[in-house]
């Protein structure tokens, strides 16, 4: 019964996701689903990314979180249009939430929509929201074992951002092991090593993202 119910939920979600994808495609909007654990640095990475994108392309953000609008307030201070979705305990965003949030956005004035999903390495990977591609942030402090422990999110993502790379000397994170596991799960995945505090790797990441939009 539980398996059948989950299939029904995913099927209904996929139908709305297809409508979202059509809506975005008709307007020429590229959508990125940004995922990762709580504390991985998703919002800080997003702030740094937006600071480099503003003025080059038209971008907006949908922020997903369990409670509060703290992350959305951080994005708003950059002068970027942002919509907050609070799931009140839900572990992921779904297609219907994105569809509803887009009513409040001027989609005709966008090139890129970034959805920062709820902090979680499991549920967000299972729900299509109508995005063009997924990206996952993995911080050095989380450990190099996460790709094999939570394979789906890394298999589904076009890119993995290994964040907080400046902390590498202070951890037992095995960078080569993580890279090997990531490419085993997804042979064509792009891997970026970043430090938002030091500015490392942010230009490469941003240029890759810009390339997704211009293509």
């Amino acid at each position: 019964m539980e398996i059948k119910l989950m299939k029904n939920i995913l099927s209904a979600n996929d139908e709305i996701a297809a409508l979202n994808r059509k809506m975005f495609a008709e307007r020429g909007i590229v959508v990125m689903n940004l995922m990762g654990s709580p504390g991985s640095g998703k919002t800080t990475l997003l702030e740094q990314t937006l600071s480099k994108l503003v003025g080059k392309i038209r971008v907006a953000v949908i922020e997903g979180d369990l409670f509060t609008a703290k992350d959305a307030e951080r994005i708003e201070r950059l002068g970027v249009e942002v919509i907050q979705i609070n799931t009140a305990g839900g572990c992921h965003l779904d297609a219907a939430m994105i569809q509803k949030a887009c009513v409040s956005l001027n989609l005709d004035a966008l090139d890129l929509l970034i959805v920062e999903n709820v902090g979680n390495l499991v549920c967000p990977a299972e729900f299509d929201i109508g995005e063009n591609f997924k990206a996952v942030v993995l911080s050095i402090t989380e450990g190099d074992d996460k790709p094999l422990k939570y394979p789906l999110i890394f298999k589904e993502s076009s890119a993995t951002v290994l964040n907080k790379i400046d902390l590498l000397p202070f951890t037992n994170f095995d960078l080569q092991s993580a890279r090997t596991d990531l490419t085993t799960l997804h042979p064509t995945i792009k891997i970026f090593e970043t430090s938002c505090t030091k500015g490392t790797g942010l230009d490469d990441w941003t240029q890759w993202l810009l390339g997704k939009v211009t293509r």
Side-chain angles (χ1 to χ4, degrees):
M1 184 66 71
E2 290 181 2
I3 294 174
K4 184 177 180 180
L5 178 59
M6 187 61 182
K7 285 183 177 179
N8 290 340
I9 291 172
L10 290 173
S11 177
N13 179 82
D14 288 347
E15 289 179 9
I16 301 174
L19 293 175
N20 289 349
R21 189 168 285 110
K22 182 174 184 290
M23 172 179 65
F24 296 136
E26 288 174 347
R27 291 165 174 79
I29 302 170
V30 173
V31 181
M32 176 174 70
N33 185 358
L34 185 64
M35 305 173 295
S37 297
S40 62
K42 295 189 303 300
T43 307
T44 303
L45 177 69
L46 186 51
E47 287 175 312
Q48 296 290 336
T49 303
L50 291 171
S51 69
K52 294 178 179 294
L53 292 179
V54 171
K56 295 180 180 178
I57 58 173
R58 302 169 299 172
V59 58
V61 173
I62 294 176
E63 275 288 346
D65 217 335
L66 276 71
F67 303 98
T68 84
K70 290 183 180 295
D71 288 349
E73 290 166 1
R74 289 168 60 180
I75 301 305
E76 192 172 39
R77 284 195 286 269
L78 298 172
V80 173
E81 187 176 13
V82 57
I83 302 294
Q84 177 74 53
I85 299 176
N86 289 126
T87 63
C91 62
H92 63 88
L93 298 178
D94 61 30
M97 294 175 184
I98 301 303
Q99 184 183 61
K100 184 177 180 180
C102 284
V103 173
S104 301
L105 290 172
N106 182 8
L107 297 178
D108 293 323
L110 289 181
D111 301 308
L112 173 66
L113 176 62
I114 300 176
V115 178
E116 183 180 349
N117 219 310
V118 178
N120 194 305
L121 284 178
V122 182
C123 305
E126 297 179 347
F127 283 80
D128 184 3
I129 57 174
E131 74 272 19
N132 293 93
F133 63 96
K134 296 177 173 70
V136 58
V137 182
L138 174 66
S139 74
I140 295 303
T141 53
E142 293 177 78
D144 54 60
D145 58 344
K146 295 304 179 289
L148 294 186
K149 282 189 172 183
Y150 304 95
L152 181 61
I153 198 167
F154 297 97
K155 286 180 179 179
E156 292 286 323
S157 294
S158 298
T160 293
V161 178
L162 297 176
N163 196 28
K164 305 183 184 181
I165 199 74
D166 53 303
L167 299 180
L168 192 58
F170 309 103
T171 71
N172 60 358
F173 191 98
D174 188 327
L175 190 59
Q176 186 54 54
S177 176
R179 281 182 162 274
T180 298
D181 291 343
L182 287 167
T183 53
T184 299
L185 291 169
H186 188 162
T188 61
I189 197 168
K190 292 288 293 183
I191 302 173
F192 299 92
E193 298 176 14
T194 65
S195 166
C196 294
T197 56
K198 304 294 185 182
T200 307
L202 296 174
D203 287 339
D204 289 343
W205 157 252
T206 307
Q207 285 303 314
W208 178 80
L209 192 52
L210 276 172
K212 287 281 192 180
V213 177
T214 55
R215 282 198 297 271

